[in-house]
């Protein structure tokens, strides 16, 4: 209390002059020594509380002012992709710009509402992403979108991915376009949310697309961490290779194991093979993968799940990620506009916007989702202080 009183008193403007605190406070001592006049940026050599040890050992005492990988997020409704009762749009791809137009691909479902895996039929979905196809939309400004229709339709049973094709992302490699997507060969949720990754290719973002009906990143072996799900494929070109980040899962929790994390698979042929990193998983938290080249490394937006949810992370080598900021209300399943996603130039400049999905009824795998635009300041080229 006495410190508080002294501090308040010394802070009072007297005849327009504010008395300086620094020398006065150093006179106030407890039995552990002098209180600091200020909290220094370097770890001081004196007894510290647990919180202050953490401040220097684990965090950056500069907070997030000037932290290039910190941002808030602003959300805006889209025009042209408004929600309607039976249509769900979710899991947008990253956005690309070709001939002055933005393109996005996403999971599209137009069926009766989902009823869960036990009651699902050939025409009634279990979850929001069951019985879906992949559609695309284009835009001139990123706010008003024109839905163009299906890019990839789920094939006839028993062709790979017959039950649902979802959660896609785009790669441009040597002038061709590749869509990586989740291929379901059974009802989502029946055993688990069991899908691995397949690919389709085209000479143009407008298609037509050739679906290569076989997995390019397949389940891990029985008992491995990604044995039941390879989800959310997210390709960038980094260090001369296609780096596909993905969410892996062993399905059900078995013996207290972690049920989801994010891995990396790399290759130089977009149709495979992709070799999984020996360090997998490379991100311990998060749900949908969302990465972008950053300087000569890779940054990731990590949201929804795990102890490091709601963070932005950076890896100098694409495999070893560290938390660099804590964020609030990160975009869910973001697909960002990443101008240099495939530039492979060791000079990632970051992102300022993208699309995310939102479950309008809260959470729940049986509700429809819709798409929103998000804006942020995770770019080295634009500094919009409003987002800090
Ligand atoms: C998501 C993604 C995958 C899951 C489901 C649809 O947002 O993680 O795509 O399978 O939910």
């Amino acid at each position: 209390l006495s410190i508080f009183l002294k501090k308040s008193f010394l802070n009072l403007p007297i005849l327009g002059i504010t008395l300086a605190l620094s020398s006065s406070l150093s006179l106030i001592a407890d039995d552990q020594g002098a209180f600091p006049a200020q909290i220094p940026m370097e770890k001081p050599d004196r007894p510290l509380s647990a919180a202050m040890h953490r401040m220097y050992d684990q965090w950056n005492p500069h907070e997030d002012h000037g932290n290039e990988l910190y941002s808030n997020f602003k959300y805006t409704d889209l025009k042209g992709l408004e929600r309607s009762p039976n249509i769900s749009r979710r899991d947008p791809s990253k956005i690309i710009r070709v001939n002055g137009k933005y393109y996005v691909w996403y999971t599209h479902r137009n069926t009766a509402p989902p009823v869960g895996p036990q009651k699902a039929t050939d025409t009634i979905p279990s979850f929001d992403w069951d019985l879906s196809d992949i559609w695309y939309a284009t835009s001139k400004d990123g706010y008003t979108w024109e839905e163009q229709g299906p890019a990839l339709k789920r094939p006839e049973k028993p062709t790979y991915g017959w039950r649902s094709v979802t959660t896609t992302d785009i790669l441009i490699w040597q002038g061709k376009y590749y869509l990586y997507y989740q291929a379901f060969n059974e009802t989502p949720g029946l055993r688990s949310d069991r899908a691995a990754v397949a690919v389709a290719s085209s000479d143009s973002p407008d298609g037509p697309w050739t679906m290569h009906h076989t997995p390019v990143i397949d389940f891990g072996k029985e008992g491995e961490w990604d044995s039941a799900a390879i989800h959310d494929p997210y390709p960038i070109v980094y260090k001369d290779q296609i780096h596909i980040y993905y969410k892996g899962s062993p399905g059900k929790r078995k013996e207290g194991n972690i049920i989801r994390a994010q891995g990396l698979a790399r290759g130089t042929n977009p149709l495979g093979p992709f070799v999984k990193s020996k360090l997998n998983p490379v991100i311990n938290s998060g749900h949908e993968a969302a990465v972008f080249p950053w300087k000569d490394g890779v940054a990731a937006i990590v949201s929804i799940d795990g102890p490091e949810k709601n963070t932005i992370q950076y890896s100098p080598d694409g495999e070893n990620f560290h938390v660099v900021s804590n964020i609030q209300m990160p975009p869910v399943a973001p697909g960002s506009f990443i101008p240099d996603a495939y530039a492979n130039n060791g000079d990632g400049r970051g992102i300022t916007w993208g699309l995310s999905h939102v479950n309008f009824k809260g959470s729940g795998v049986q509700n429809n989702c819709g798409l929103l635009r998000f804006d942020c300041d995770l770019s080295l080229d634009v500094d919009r202080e409003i987002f800090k």
Side-chain angles (χ1 to χ4, degrees):
L1 180 66
S2 75
I3 295 163
F4 172 74
L5 288 175
K6 282 178 198 173
K7 251 184 156 173
S8 318
F9 174 70
L10 289 169
N11 263 326
L12 283 177
I14 300 172
L15 296 174
I17 301 165
T18 304
L19 291 182
L21 278 173
S22 51
S23 56
S24 320
L25 270 184
S26 62
L27 299 174
I28 305 163
D30 68 3
D31 54 8
Q32 293 196 324
F35 283 98
Q38 302 293 337
I39 303 167
M41 287 298 177
E42 300 300 320
K43 192 172 187 179
D45 182 20
R46 70 173 191 88
L48 293 174
S49 63
M52 293 311 293
H53 273 293
R54 244 182 5 253
M55 165 80 117
Y56 297 103
D57 298 345
Q58 191 176 333
W59 304 112
N60 173 358
H62 292 265
E63 294 185 56
D64 286 317
H65 306 300
N67 182 346
E68 292 160 331
L69 282 175
Y70 172 74
S71 182
N72 281 311
F73 297 89
K74 175 187 147 188
Y75 295 91
T76 312
D77 277 325
L78 302 180
K79 294 205 178 94
L81 293 176
E82 289 88 359
R83 214 172 150 242
S84 58
N86 284 330
I87 295 181
S88 188
R89 299 183 186 91
R90 57 180 295 140
D91 291 299
S93 70
K94 73 170 81 64
I95 292 147
I96 60 166
R97 191 155 191 252
V98 184
N99 297 330
K101 253 193 311 188
Y102 295 112
Y103 285 75
V104 68
W105 291 261
Y106 46 88
T107 306
H108 180 279
R109 180 178 58 75
N110 183 359
T111 68
V115 292
Q118 305 312 329
K119 293 192 197 144
T121 67
D122 285 353
T123 52
I124 302 178
S126 61
F127 294 162
D128 186 24
W129 51 92
D130 189 13
L131 297 175
S132 296
D133 302 296
I134 290 164
W135 284 39
Y136 76 116
T138 57
S139 171
K140 292 247 165 60
D141 61 4
Y143 292 93
T144 301
W145 292 82
E146 275 176 48
E147 190 153 72
Q148 303 292 342
L152 309 181
K153 285 187 179 167
R154 57 185 191 281
E156 290 292 308
K157 196 173 180 178
T159 307
Y160 199 78
W162 62 269
R163 177 76 198 188
S164 198
V165 294
T166 79
T167 323
T168 193
D169 203 53
I170 181 85
L171 167 73
I172 307 176
W173 177 262
Q174 296 175 354
K176 286 195 159 212
Y177 298 82
Y178 298 88
L179 282 174
Y180 296 90
Y181 58 94
Q182 291 181 195
F184 284 90
N185 297 301
E186 60 183 48
T187 306
L190 206 51
R191 283 191 289 168
S192 62
D193 196 25
R194 201 176 160 78
V197 167
V199 64
S201 55
S202 176
D203 292 329
S204 155
D206 293 298
W209 294 90
T210 304
M211 292 170 86
H212 305 272
H213 299 295
T214 164
V216 277
I217 309 176
D218 209 351
F219 301 121
K221 290 198 285 291
E222 185 57 40
E224 288 179 356
W225 74 281
D226 60 356
S227 59
I230 309 290
H231 286 174
D232 306 283
Y234 207 98
I236 58 169
V237 181
Y238 180 64
K239 295 202 171 176
D240 304 329
Q241 284 186 298
I242 303 160
H243 277 223
I244 302 187
Y245 292 85
Y246 66 91
K247 180 187 79 198
S249 173
K252 304 265 182 303
R253 204 183 296 274
K254 288 173 181 128
E255 289 138 11
N257 56 298
I258 286 171
I259 55 161
R260 69 177 75 73
Q262 296 183 42
L264 166 66
R266 285 174 286 212
T268 49
N269 182 341
L271 302 181
F274 289 98
V275 179
K276 293 179 182 175
S277 164
K278 291 207 161 51
L279 297 184
N280 272 353
V282 296
I283 295 178
N284 64 29
S285 299
H287 200 92
E288 296 89 357
V291 299
F292 51 92
W294 182 257
K295 300 186 178 175
D296 58 356
V298 175
I301 300 175
V302 178
S303 51
I304 303 188
D305 294 306
E308 292 180 1
K309 65 180 154 306
N310 301 349
T311 63
I312 295 186
Q313 309 204 359
Y314 174 71
S315 163
D317 59 6
E319 283 184 292
N320 292 284
F321 284 84
H322 306 275
V323 172
V324 288
S325 68
N326 290 296
I327 48 174
Q328 298 167 57
M329 282 187 68
V332 174
S336 308
F337 175 52
I338 312 175
D340 53 17
Y342 321 116
N344 189 33
N345 61 7
D347 183 28
R349 309 303 296 172
I351 59 168
T352 57
W353 69 280
L355 300 186
S356 69
H357 76 211
V358 63
N359 190 314
F360 288 94
K361 288 191 189 157
S363 62
V365 292
Q366 289 173 225
N367 296 330
N368 286 359
C369 278
L371 303 180
L372 287 181
R373 174 181 166 121
F374 72 88
D375 283 84
C376 64
D377 178 4
L378 294 167
S379 164
L380 291 163
D381 297 328
V382 189
D383 191 11
R384 291 174 295 171
E385 279 298 320
I386 188 173
F387 293 117
K388 297 276 186 220

